C-alpha cells in the first residue's frame, strides 16, 4: 500500500513522508571491533555517516563513543572509524571520522559498485508483497532504490530514486523534484514490513542529485527494466 502521508509545512522547510516496502535483509554490514565484535546491518549510508542496526544481542554503545570496524559489501571491505551520534534501542547513528580519506567512502559507494549491487526485486522470485500500483522496484544495499509506480491504466504515475541521503522524484502532474532524506523509521503492519521516509523538498531541483540519479539509470543492465520504462525515466530526468 502506497504511503503518501501528510504534507508538513513549516516556516523554513517543506517536508513530505512516504512509506515504501522494506527489503528483508542487506548484504551491506559493519563489523565493530574492540569489546564485543558486533555485526550490524547497515540500514542507511552516505558519504558522511551511516545508520546501523543490530539484530541479535545487546548493544552497549553510548552517544559520543568512538567506534571502529570494517564495512563489508559484496566481497569488498574498508576500515571505518567514527563517532556515535545517537542510540535508539538496537540502532546507532554514526558520523564518519574526518581522518578518513575523502576518496575512501565515495570509491566504495561509486556508481559502478551501486549498479553492480542493484537487483530487480519485482522479478526476484522472493516472497515479497508489492504495494498496489508499484510495478518495478530495483534495490542495492544502502539504500539505493528505484521505485516505479503505475496508474490503473498502466501508464507510469511516478517514480522515486533514493540515493543515500538524497532523492529524485517525478510525479504525473507535479514534474521533477529533488530533496534530502531527513529520516527513516520502521513501520510494522500485520502483513508487511515497511519503512517511512521523511523527505525535505528542495526549493529548486538540485542538478547534482539529478545527474547522480541519471548515471544510475543509464548504467542499469538492460534486462532490469523494459526499454520503454528506462527511456521514460531517462527522458523525465533529462539525462
Amino acid at each position: 500500500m502506497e504511503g503518501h502521508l501528510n504534507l508538513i509545512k513549516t516556516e523554513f522547510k517543506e517536508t513530505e513522508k512516504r512509506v515504501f516496502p522494506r527489503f528483508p535483509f542487506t548484504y551491506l554490514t559493519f563489523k565493530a571491533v574492540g569489546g564485543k565484535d558486533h555485526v550490524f546491518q547497515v540500514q542507511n549510508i552516505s558519504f558522511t555517516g551511516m545508520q546501523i542496526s543490530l539484530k541479535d544481542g545487546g548493544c552497549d554503545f553510548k552517544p559520543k563513543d568512538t567506534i571502529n570496524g570494517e564495512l563489508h559489501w559484496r566481497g569488498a571491505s574498508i576500515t571505518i572509524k567514527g563517532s556515535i551520534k545517537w542510540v535508539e534501542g538496537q540502532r546507532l547513528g554514526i558520523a564518519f571520522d574526518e581522518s578518513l580519506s575523502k576518496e575512501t567512502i565515495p570509491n566504495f559507494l561509486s556508481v559502478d559498485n551501486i549498479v553492480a549491487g542493484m537487483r530487480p526485486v519485482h522479478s526476484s522470485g522472493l516472497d515479497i508483497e508489492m504495494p498496489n500500483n508499484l510495478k518495478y522496484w530495483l534495490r542495492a544495499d544502502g539504500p539505493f532504490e528505484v521505485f516505479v509506480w503505475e496508474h490503473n491504466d498502466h501508464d507510469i504515475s511516478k517514480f522515486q530514486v533514493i540515493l543515500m541521503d538524497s532523492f529524485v522524484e517525478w510525479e504525473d502532474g507535479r514534474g521533477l523534484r529533488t530533496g534530502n532524506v531527513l529520516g527513516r523509521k520502521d513501520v510494522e503492519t500485520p502483513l508487511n514490513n515497511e519503512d517511512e521516509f521523511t523527505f525535505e523538498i528542495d526549493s529548486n531541483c538540485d542538478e547534482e542529485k539529478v545527474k547522480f540519479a541519471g548515471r544510475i539509470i543509464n548504467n542499469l543492465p538492460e534486462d532490469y527494466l523494459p526499454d520503454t520504462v528506462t527511456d521514460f525515466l531517462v527522458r523525465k530526468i533529462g539525462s
Side-chain angles (χ1 to χ4, degrees), residues 65-83:
D65 282 353
T66 297
I67 188 168
N68 302 302
E70 289 189 338
L71 201 57
H72 297 271
W73 193 26
R74 298 183 297 102
S77 63
I78 55 174
T79 300
I80 293 294
K81 180 180 180 180
S83 60

Side-chain angles (χ1 to χ4, degrees), residues 212-237:
F212 193 6
R215 289 168 65 197
I216 298 294
I217 299 299
N218 277 302
N219 284 282
L220 290 172
E222 293 182 359
D223 57 342
Y224 279 17
L225 294 172
D227 290 344
T228 54
V229 174
T230 301
D231 292 345
F232 184 93
L233 269 58
V234 168
R235 186 168 68 252
K236 295 302 181 182
I237 287 177

